[in-house]
Amino acid sequence: MRCLAVVLLCAVAVGASPQDELAKIFRLRPRDEPQAVARADDRVARRILQPASDTQEAEALQEAEALREREEEEEAAAEANMKWTVVVSVLALAATFIIGFILESNHVHWFPEAAVGVLIGFACARTARLYGNEYMLESETFNYEFFMLFLLPPIIFEAGFNMNVSAFFKNVGPTMFFAFVGTFASTFVVGGIVYVAGIYGFCYPLGLLAALTFGALISATDPVTVLAVFQALGVKVDLFSMVFGESVLNDAVAIVLSRTLLGFIHTDVSS
């Protein structure tokens, strides 16, 4: 730049045009001066902005690296939470079986295995909430479709397979009456009580269809404790078969009632 300034001063001193001298220096004709100036400005601009571009690129690389590290840390934390969830679930299931077996061996029939599972599940959920393990709380929630498709059918099959067929068909009349009419009536009685209690503030207020759905689900009782007591006391086969057969059939009735009521909730009824 200093050399260029000296040349321009000499040109002015001798009376030459600075534009002609610039044209000679850049070997351009006078009509090409705007393009030459534009290209020179571009070169200067690139030289000026090049360090800034390098700096921005370096900052972008640093941000990408930091983001990648955070994602790796989150993935590692999620994987650790998943492993702990599996471990706690297996331990809870094993504890339920062991404690239930101990209670049954000691003839503690007033505290069934199902109650043990409920208490252990409550303790696991409370511990996960205290330690802030949100993954365990989200993944261990009740899945309605999984229960209906994978858990309930084997239970019903096992109950029907081990049923005393001759005693069941001998008392099929009372068994069907209790299973169908009794479960249907219990649905409306329990649902009505819950609906009225919610209106008067005795419990959480539910709509009529929601209360009836709750009544259908809660009416499908599984009298495990009663059957265990019957078996221990050696009651008559007829009484045992009626209670056992009703407990098997009311599951199917409750499923049909609950799905029907849920269909009314999600489907608009035309006038």
Side-chain angles (χ1 to χ4, degrees):
M1 296 298 292
R2 292 179 179 177
C3 296
L4 180 59
V6 171
V7 172
L8 291 176
L9 290 175
C10 295
V12 172
V14 298
S17 174
Q19 289 81 1
D20 296 337
E21 295 298 327
L22 281 173
K24 293 179 181 179
I25 293 172
F26 292 105
R27 296 181 179 178
L28 298 172
R29 295 185 299 275
R31 63 174 178 272
D32 293 332
E33 289 178 5
Q35 290 82 356
V37 173
R39 287 195 291 270
D41 292 339
D42 292 337
R43 288 195 295 269
V44 173
R46 284 197 296 269
R47 292 175 182 176
I48 294 174
L49 296 177
Q50 188 66 32
S53 300
D54 294 340
T55 304
Q56 292 176 358
E57 185 177 357
E59 292 178 354
L61 291 175
Q62 292 177 357
E63 292 178 358
E65 184 68 20
L67 181 60
R68 186 176 63 83
E69 292 178 356
R70 285 196 299 269
E71 290 178 352
E72 291 178 354
E73 292 177 357
E74 292 177 356
E75 290 178 358
E79 184 177 359
N81 290 332
M82 182 184 66
K83 291 180 179 179
W84 276 110
T85 301
V86 174
V87 171
V88 171
S89 301
V90 173
L91 291 177
L93 187 62
T96 302
F97 288 151
I98 293 173
I99 296 175
F101 176 77
I102 293 173
L103 293 176
E104 185 178 359
S105 300
N106 293 313
H107 303 287
V108 183
H109 300 296
W110 58 270
F111 197 75
E113 187 179 13
V116 176
V118 171
L119 292 179
I120 292 178
F122 175 78
C124 293
R126 185 61 179 173
T127 304
R129 188 174 297 276
L130 288 176
Y131 285 95
N133 193 339
E134 299 294 335
Y135 180 84
M136 182 181 296
L137 295 175
E138 294 177 358
S139 60
E140 296 300 321
T141 55
F142 178 76
N143 192 324
Y144 178 81
E145 296 295 334
F146 180 80
F147 176 78
M148 288 294 180
L149 294 177
F150 298 102
L151 296 182
L152 190 59
I155 294 174
I156 297 177
F157 174 79
E158 188 273 337
F161 185 79
N162 294 322
M163 181 185 297
N164 190 338
V165 180
S166 61
F168 173 77
F169 283 105
K170 182 180 178 180
N171 301 280
V172 66
T175 302
M176 299 288 284
F177 178 82
F178 291 136
F180 289 92
V181 179
T183 304
F184 189 80
S186 177
T187 298
F188 285 91
V189 171
V190 174
I193 292 174
V194 171
Y195 178 72
V196 174
I199 293 176
Y200 288 98
F202 292 104
C203 66
Y204 184 81
L206 295 176
L208 182 58
L209 289 177
L212 291 177
T213 304
F214 173 77
L217 295 176
I218 207 66
S219 296
T221 56
D222 192 8
V224 178
T225 304
V226 177
L227 294 176
V229 173
F230 283 177
Q231 189 173 6
L233 296 177
V235 298
K236 293 183 178 181
V237 179
D238 294 338
L239 180 60
F240 185 87
S241 64
M242 281 191 293
V243 175
F244 184 76
E246 191 275 338
S247 67
V248 172
L249 295 177
N250 65 7
D251 291 333
V253 177
I255 292 173
V256 173
L257 284 176
S258 62
R259 295 301 292 265
T260 303
L261 293 171
L262 289 175
F264 280 114
I265 292 174
H266 296 291
T267 304
D268 296 332
V269 180
S270 60
S271 57

